[in-house]
Amino acid sequence: MHWPGFWEKFLFLSYLGAGALTWLGYAILTFAGRRRMQLLDKPRPIPNPLPHVTILVPAKDEGGRIRACIQSALNQDYGNFDLIAINDRSVDETGQILDEMALSNPKLSVIHIPEGSLSPGWTGKNNALFTAARQARGDWLLLIDSDVVLEPPALSQTIALAVYKKFDLLSLLPRLETHTVWEGMLIPLCSAAAATMYLIALNNVNNVRIGFANGQFMLISRTAYDAIGGHETVKDRYCEDVEIARVMKERGMRPRISWGENIAAVRMYSSLSAIIRGWSRIYYSAKVGNPMTILTAIGFLLTSCFSAYAVLVYGIARFLHPIGNILDNVWLVAGLVHLSLMTLMLSYMYRWSKNAGWNALLFPVAAPVLLWVLLKSLIMCITKRVEWRGTRYSHTMAQKLLVK
């Protein structure tokens, strides 16, 4: 038995740092970040008098899901709110469903945005929300996506927390509903990757300029919304939620993001193609088309994830056919430790989104798809072309926002 040569020692130590040690550090930071985002764990007193809240729900071609979303919003146990639903150029029955629901619900009003009315440089969602916000009467605005379903206490709990803590914005990470193997395997993984890539827990630190919000659920004070210029400021952004939080952080405001899996749920995508399209758009737009974060994620996937399987195979080969140095068995042990830490951490991520932890065992299948999503978003950084909700966009997002 002899010591390995310089290059084998170098490769082994490099692998140890990129593999098991990286995942150990990642686990420590992730658990710390999760604690920072558990803002709804303690009940807060309901403000008296109740501030008026206007709920805004933009919808484009959501005929199959809009009724459940709107009904869950109308079922809130909060005593002072109204709801504006925006039919954004839909070609299905979305507008008809909204009009029917409004006839029997005085809290609900509907705005119809006709096809062909979208101004150049605006995204459809930003235009819809900006149009509705001008008609909103609330002291607070609750913006939710049309595929979100709320539990009855969602508004009461979040407005109580926001008012008590003097937050300017409170955004939630809902429970991720998944109904197929592809959804369960990929959507929580892509969500966890986004949380890591964009360091979302640091949004909750006052002296850090990183901002992040989730447009699926955003409760924002009307004063803060008007102060930053509303959606007109972020009119060309595909991830307007993230940009709103960033602008607020830059202006010294207090946006916050919290886990909200017990009071809100969303089924983001229902097919593999939709998952790939949707998440590649999110990764591209969350950093305004800057490819560096995406390239870093690709590097992490290759060096700290895929390497576990390569080293495990190599370790088995070295164990079966030793060459007579002390690393003959150590490579296999290192690969097993790396794979175990990675799989355990992934299982926690799946469970946090209320999905089965055993999805982590499917990572060898899910990881190549995630890599393709990242590569597709990298292509978008070059072409600047995005297709979303039936609308093709080719405008280049301004690198700096003009905040009024």
Side-chain angles (χ1 to χ4, degrees), residues 249-263:
K249 289 293 285 288
E250 290 173 359
R251 305 213 30 190
M253 297 180 184
R254 301 187 72 207
R256 290 294 184 269
I257 188 160
S258 173
W259 288 93
E261 69 274 18
N262 294 321
I263 56 175

Side-chain angles (χ1 to χ4, degrees), residues 197-198 279-287 289-301 370-371 373-381:
M197 290 163 64
Y198 305 114
W279 278 107
S280 59
R281 176 191 64 88
I282 292 170
Y283 292 156
Y284 158 68
S285 56
K287 280 290 187 180
N290 187 325
M292 293 310 300
T293 301
I294 300 168
L295 289 170
T296 301
I298 291 172
F300 175 81
L301 200 58
L370 176 58
L371 178 60
V373 171
L374 290 166
L375 291 172
K376 189 173 175 63
S377 66
L378 201 58
I379 293 171
M380 289 183 183
C381 292

Side-chain angles (χ1 to χ4, degrees), residues 208-234:
V208 176
R209 295 186 67 180
I210 292 174
F212 190 91
N214 178 17
Q216 294 164 348
F217 187 110
M218 289 175 57
L219 179 66
I220 182 171
S221 78
R222 185 61 192 246
T223 302
Y225 181 81
D226 290 341
I228 66 170
H231 280 82
E232 187 175 17
T233 298
V234 296

